[in-house]
Amino acid sequence: MSPPAPILVWFRNDLRLDDHPALFHAAASGAPVIPVYLHTPRTRSRWTRGGASRWWLHYALEDLHQQLTTLGSPLVLRSGTDTEALLTELMQETGAKQIFWNRRYEPDWVELDTQLKQALPAKSFPGTVLREPGTVSTQTGNPYKVFTPYYRACTKLGPPPEPLPPPSHLQPPESPVASDALSDWHLLPGLNWDTGMQEAWNPTLQGAEDRLEDFLDEAAGLYKDKRDFPDIVGTSRMSPWLHVGQISPRRIWHECDALQQTRGGGDGIEAYTRQLVWRDFATQMLFHFPHTDTDPLQEKYAAFPWNTDPKGLKAWQKGLTGYPIVDAGMRELWTTGWMHNRVRMIVASFLVKDLLISWREGADWFWDTLVDADLANNTFGWQWAGGCGADAAPYFRIFNPVRQSEKFDAKGGYIRKWVPELRSLSEKEIHAPWEMSCPPENYPSPIVDHRAARDRALEALSTLTV
Ligand SMILES: Cc1cc2nc3c(=O)[nH]c(=O)nc-3n(C[C@H](O)[C@H](O)[C@H](O)COP(=O)(O)OP(=O)(O)OC[C@H]3O[C@@H](n4cnc5c(N)ncnc54)[C@H](O)[C@@H]3O)c2cc1C
């Protein structure tokens, strides 16, 4: 009897071995398994990976390759511009008769997968979410647009499915399959702007597991109280590993649940797992409203009179606005590829409301600089900041950057860390240094006056017809 034909398992945003339905089912079939990753940078128009996220991807792929080699079948890398042609070529070369993958839910991917399924013998499985888009709907069968009822509906469904175990072994193909060299993809920067990211992260599975263990041991129970303060490690910082799927949200959810069963942890842990549901919520929003990566969910905001202000945009990007909390956040982002959620909200509000620059400019910058740049979460966050999305903070609710700073970085520790020019300032001075009799000379004055900017934003809002 001839041996079964190999199965291609196409890895996408699920660079892991456990809780990987496509890999699990391919391995369970007993057929040889050929794990594949395709690099097709030019095929996906606007949202080609940004620099920071390419940096992370390099290490995640290197790590996955090692894990798969240990299991018996190394990762095959191929690059090109036509995904269908690459997969067809691989099938012809290897004699594979099926392709398995886990689903992605961003509009470009849904479109691509639909085309591929018509052309190739493909089978898809649930992707890196707790619950797939479309599985939680209102009583009338529509998608939820507001988080709280969505969360309630999820809770009623009980725990999300348990994560699948990793295969214990993979049957390799009869002969090795040619692979690109990862270094030839040039995912790492030519100039070494990544020193801060190297220091901040271990972008491997081990890094994810260490980070999660620390978080569960030390901070998860206190998450609810500490998550808003950027000067402490009060959140899990799991977003970049979740983004490339080195760890699955179901695994995190069930580890949290187990912790709660054994040790308690009260509403802190629930507040944390709720964030994983926010992640699903953002995913289902982009899935059901696929235009929202570029256009406002609430149509009337399409006519918003945004400013074109290259100087203001540059100052914001570089962390030179003269507002310490904003500048601290933007510099943290530039150095480490990550920013605390509270500060993301503050800097986003500042761009959109104080500078009146479109949320799309902010989303683009985040896309290029975040190691966790994720189309659904980024779109959702920016639409929220722009006041034009689901569950939106209405546009007229405008963050005061000084009040936010006083409230969430009261002692100024976060600002001192990222804005060294202000290190010697007192708790009282550090939030608004321009009010000092002798402000530091090496730090800019505010590029806008918040009160005037607020009035200008409200004026702009009033031009929209409701
Ligand atoms: C303007 C703006 C842009 C954003 N862009 C992104 C992005 O590109 N990628 C990204 O992963 N998150 C984004 N977020 C959401 C949030 O800021 C990050 O997920 C969070 O800061 C990551 O840190 P953490 O892992 O410590 O989160 P934790 O607080 O520990 O939460 C755990 C996980 O839940 C998910 N999560 C938490 N908050 C949110 C949220 N508000 N929306 C959706 N999922 C959430 C993330 O996967 C996160 O890793 C953005 C938020 C804003 C306001």
Side-chain angles (χ1 to χ4, degrees), residues 215 223 227 235-240 242-243 272 275-276 278-279 282 338-341 344-345 348 366 370 372-375 377-382 384-385:
F215 176 70
Y223 179 82
R227 54 176 295 222
T235 68
S236 71
R237 304 190 182 207
M238 293 305 297
S239 51
L242 274 166
H243 168 60
Y272 178 67
Q275 294 310 116
L276 297 173
W278 270 106
R279 182 177 175 275
W338 186 87
M339 193 197 295
H340 188 279
N341 181 60
R344 289 187 204 206
M345 295 197 285
F366 270 30
L370 277 172
D372 64 24
D374 178 277
L375 194 57
N377 287 358
N378 199 39
T379 298
F380 189 82
W382 279 100
W384 178 89

Side-chain angles (χ1 to χ4, degrees), residues 402-422:
V402 176
R403 297 289 95 77
Q404 289 284 316
S405 184
E406 286 167 346
K407 187 164 175 197
F408 296 110
D409 187 30
K411 291 190 165 28
Y414 179 71
I415 294 173
R416 273 187 210 99
K417 177 164 184 196
W418 295 109
V419 188
E421 305 95 291
L422 304 179

Side-chain angles (χ1 to χ4, degrees), residues 143-190:
Y144 282 101
K145 284 192 193 172
V146 178
F147 177 73
T148 306
Y150 174 82
Y151 183 67
R152 235 182 271 130
C154 290
T155 313
K156 270 199 197 138
L157 293 173
E162 295 262 0
L164 293 166
S168 55
H169 171 74
L170 293 178
Q171 172 79 26
E174 269 181 6
S175 21
V177 184
S179 169
D180 292 359
L182 181 58
S183 55
D184 287 347
W185 288 1
H186 303 292
L187 298 172
L188 295 178

Side-chain angles (χ1 to χ4, degrees), residues 318-338:
K318 292 191 152 189
L320 292 171
T321 65
Y323 282 90
I325 190 75
V326 174
D327 294 343
M330 297 309 290
R331 294 185 199 186
E332 177 181 31
L333 172 62
W334 182 250
T335 308
T336 68
W338 186 87

